[in-house]
Amino acid sequence: MLSIKNLHASIEDKQILRGLDLEVKAGEVHAIMGPNGSGKSTLSYVLAGKDDYEVTEGSATLDGQDLFAMEPDERAAAGLFLAFQYPLEIPGVATMTFLKTALNAQRRARGEAELPTPQFMKLVREKADSLSISTEMLKRGLNVGFSGGEKKRNEVLQMALLEPKLCVLDETDSGLDIDALRIVSQGVNALRAQNRSFVVITHYQRLLDHIVPDVVHVMAKGRIVRTGGAELAHELEARGYADYLEEAA
Amino acid sequence: MNAEVRPIRTAAESGLIEAFEAARAALPGGETAARLREDAFRAFAAKGLPNRRVEEWKYTDLRAIMREARPLVVTLSEADVAASRDLLPFGDVDAVRIVFVNGRLAPSLSQLNDAPEGIRIVLLADALAADAQHALLLEGAPADNAAIALNTAFASDGLMISVDEGVSVVKPIHVANVQTGGAHAAYGRVLVSVGKGASLTLVESHSGDPAGHQTNTLIGLDLADDAKATHLKLQDEGLGTLHLATFAARLAARSALTSVSLSSGAAAARQQVFLAFKGEKATADINGAGFAGGRRHLDSTLVIHHEAPGCASRELFKTALDGEARSVFQGKIVVQPVAQKTDGKMMAKALLLSNDAEADAKPELEIFADDVVCGHGATVGAIDDELLFYLMSRGLPKAEAEALLVQAFVGEVLESVEHDQLRDALSARAERWLRERD
Ligand SMILES: Nc1ncnc2c1ncn2[C@@H]1O[C@H](COP(=O)(O)OP(=O)(O)OP(=O)(O)O)[C@@H](O)[C@H]1O
Ligand SMILES: [Mg+2]
């Protein structure tokens, strides 16, 4: 599904990713953990196509398609979704309008017909309900006046609606209370499927109790420095990152 | 030596002088009207077209913009009336419509006799013939302002509208101005008085074909005590037109004015707003949205005079510019010593969609009272790349993401229109601009 080889990327001449390799197969859930500043968000932005970053070496493909040859919207239509660590607020764009515009843009890009409004409304209501997002919130400007946790739930709502192939979740658990964590995890688990993969970036083992990963990676200084099973997260929880920081240096 | 320098007349100035000489005898009104027109024209001719060295016209050099004077249309042709039908906006809005084509009343398109109870609509020519000379006087706005002086000198077709005390007119009155056919000059003048406790919605529209027309319109609005008025303006002139517009309102005690304008047309447009608060605790909300691409020029110039205590004024102007377009916002709030407890706020925001677009803002406060809250601000910015990326990452192509952000930007202004059909029509016009960016 996702294949990243020897990825190097920099921002403002500062090298952040330094030869990162990652293979995610269809249906798998991979967790990436790692100290602050190790480049986890950078990786997610580079995959999604934020143009502040420069890819200096390496490749990334999604089902064989070269991600770096596509604009961000084309990557989305190809099935990539990034749940932002810090979702943005857009006053004046109603959440509902935004969801509809996004869904129809992707359908159009894939040559599918736009979804008629009544069907769309029904679909949104259903998915919003399961994430405890009220109709009132959907009428508000996108993320405007949403609490931190509500913003994260709104990211998962978008994901559920757009049904991507590859979901990259950048610290979607940060800022969630215990109930919200369970709601969001259920939302993610409901999306798990044979032909859908997840890259879950997190600092907390707690999330991985809900969304059980197939593979856990440790990222430090712009590279994957260790890969293991779900038990690796427990080990990190107990021992921290000190070992890896020395190794990677 | 103190000799007065006589400016050399430009072709446009000479043309205006000739046009006035040719037209004056046939302009409506008796002797007094003729004298008022003469005075106004002289005031104009003494200074000529204002150029960038005249402070209020610094960013809109009318002498440079107006190369020649277009002819007046003396008789309106049936062909032009027919052609104007397709250019009329707000066709499906339930309103009393009065249409001026090429500056001339088009009776066949107008509903002059359908005025609701309690409102009188009189043609300017009839009013002047009956000696209502005050139709040519405009208190609260500077008489020597070039656009106003020319309007006073030349205005022939127009309206006087009055709403009786206590009457609420629900149906909007739509004054439509359409320009079509050969390039010409058109003057329009509408004077409205809303009686004590009465209310009115006035809609003005300006549209036309792309020829190089010159339009000069004036709306004077008088609100009596406790009166309410909503004023909506669509300036959607053809892209060759020079549009000069004046909106002057006088507000008596506890009256309330809401004005929303959308400027989406004209090669060059200047809209002047003069507000005078004459009675205590009156309020005015003046909102404007504008779009321009190409090499178009949009000027909004506001002068707000607070001359009574406890009044509140709010102005919000938002403009999106593409290509090499330019916008100008000049806003001045003057608070007289008697106008204690004045609450005045003014804000201009410009969104630049290209590197070659330019927005200038000149806010001014002149405050002579000590117990007031006044403020103004201006921002100029580009589309936020972070927001653009967020939308694109959800599958919106760049153009669509930009359009959504521009719509959100001006939405704040257009959403202040309470009338559903009119708001939808303005939003649809905004959407069209976002597709065409002309
Ligand atoms: N615009 C920028 N200019 C310069 N440096 C930047 C910029 N953006 C990110 N960086 C740097 O890149 C490095 C990696 O940042 P990144 O956000 O990818 O880390 P992270 O692993 O997601 O951290 P966290 O766990 O705190 O979210 C950091 O050292 C950061 O300061
Ligand atoms: Mg991060």
Side-chain angles (χ1 to χ4, degrees), chain A residues 103-120:
Chain A
L103 182 63
N104 282 332
Q106 292 203 14
R107 291 176 74 105
R108 250 183 289 127
R110 292 192 291 257
E112 299 162 17
E114 294 193 0
L115 204 61
T117 304
Q119 256 168 280
F120 167 80

Side-chain angles (χ1 to χ4, degrees), chain A residues 49-50 72-73 76 81-82 84 89-91 93 98 101-102 105-106 108 143 155 158, chain B residues 384-387 389-398 400 404-405 407-409 415:
Chain A
K50 194 164 198 251
D73 56 307
F81 182 91
L82 166 62
F84 281 53
E89 296 186 9
I90 312 190
V93 176
F98 160 74
T101 312
Q106 292 203 14
R108 250 183 289 127
N143 290 328
E155 293 288 287
Q158 293 166 40
Chain B
D384 185 326
D385 285 337
E386 303 284 326
L387 299 184
F389 172 65
Y390 189 48
L391 293 178
M392 287 179 75
S393 79
R394 297 306 183 240
L396 274 68
K398 190 170 185 193
E400 210 177 320
L404 198 59
L405 291 173
Q407 230 170 349
F409 172 75
E415 266 145 37

Side-chain angles (χ1 to χ4, degrees), chain B residues 188-253:
Chain B
R189 195 174 180 101
V190 175
L191 298 159
V192 183
S193 66
V194 185
K196 278 186 187 166
S199 68
L200 177 73
T201 296
L202 178 73
V203 180
E204 54 165 324
S205 66
H206 306 267
S207 54
D209 65 26
H213 307 298
Q214 293 171 344
T215 58
N216 179 327
T217 70
L218 182 149
I219 295 211
L221 177 63
D222 244 310
L223 294 184
D225 290 354
D226 303 296
K228 275 200 176 72
T230 300
H231 165 244
L232 296 182
K233 175 182 177 184
L234 172 63
Q235 186 278 94
D236 196 23
E237 302 267 28
L239 296 185
T241 296
L242 166 63
H243 174 87
L244 299 175
T246 303
F247 175 70
R250 284 154 42 94
L251 290 91

Side-chain angles (χ1 to χ4, degrees), chain A residues 2-237:
Chain A
L2 175 67
S3 173
I4 303 176
K5 294 205 168 75
N6 191 32
L7 183 57
H8 288 71
S10 60
I11 184 160
E12 289 164 11
D13 293 327
K14 190 172 157 198
Q15 198 70 37
I16 311 289
L17 301 183
R18 307 154 190 260
L20 183 136
D21 295 290
L22 183 66
E23 294 288 332
V24 180
K25 295 204 185 70
E28 286 182 348
V29 175
H30 287 228
I32 298 182
M33 305 183 80
N36 296 135
S38 54
K40 304 181 297 296
S41 293
T42 301
L43 172 64
S44 66
Y45 283 143
V46 167
L47 291 177
K50 194 164 198 251
D51 65 6
D52 306 359
Y53 299 91
E54 196 192 344
V55 174
T56 49
E57 216 183 315
S59 66
T61 57
L62 180 65
D63 276 344
Q65 285 178 280
D66 179 4
L67 283 175
F68 300 150
M70 292 187 263
E71 291 295 317
D73 56 307
E74 296 169 328
R75 300 182 197 198
L80 176 72
F81 182 91
L82 166 62
F84 281 53
Q85 182 173 1
Y86 304 107
L88 291 107
E89 296 186 9
I90 312 190
V93 176
T95 306
M96 201 59 138
T97 311
F98 160 74
L99 294 174
K100 188 160 180 251
T101 312
L103 182 63
N104 282 332
Q106 292 203 14
R107 291 176 74 105
R108 250 183 289 127
R110 292 192 291 257
E112 299 162 17
E114 294 193 0
L115 204 61
T117 304
Q119 256 168 280
F120 167 80
M121 299 291 276
K122 190 164 170 278
L123 189 67
V124 175
R125 291 258 158 75
E126 247 171 53
K127 310 240 181 212
D129 269 355
S130 68
L131 289 161
S132 301
I133 294 175
S134 69
T135 314
E136 184 274 323
M137 279 167 67
L138 297 175
K139 284 184 188 153
R140 265 191 252 162
L142 183 57
N143 290 328
V144 176
F146 285 33
S147 73
E150 287 170 344
K151 284 180 187 167
K152 297 299 182 76
R153 272 189 272 155
N154 197 18
E155 293 288 287
V156 177
L157 171 62
Q158 293 166 40
M159 192 167 86
L161 204 62
L162 297 172
E163 300 185 321
K165 278 195 229 170
L166 176 70
C167 308
V168 180
L169 285 78
D170 191 358
E171 294 195 28
T172 301
D173 54 331
S174 305
L176 293 182
D177 65 38
I178 297 160
D179 294 331
L181 182 68
R182 201 182 53 245
I183 292 168
V184 162
S185 304
Q186 280 167 357
V188 172
N189 286 331
L191 286 170
R192 288 181 76 156
Q194 290 233 304
N195 54 356
R196 181 172 294 130
S197 311
F198 293 82
V199 174
V200 179
I201 297 169
T202 182
H203 285 298
Y204 306 105
Q205 195 276 323
R206 194 183 54 168
L207 175 72
L208 305 179
D209 285 342
H210 294 277
I211 306 171
V212 181
D214 300 298
V215 184
V216 175
H217 305 275
V218 180
M219 185 166 172
K221 301 203 170 158
R223 308 178 56 181
I224 301 293
V225 294
R226 190 161 163 211
T227 296
E231 74 290 345
L232 180 54
H234 290 276
E235 186 188 315
L236 292 171
E237 185 86 1

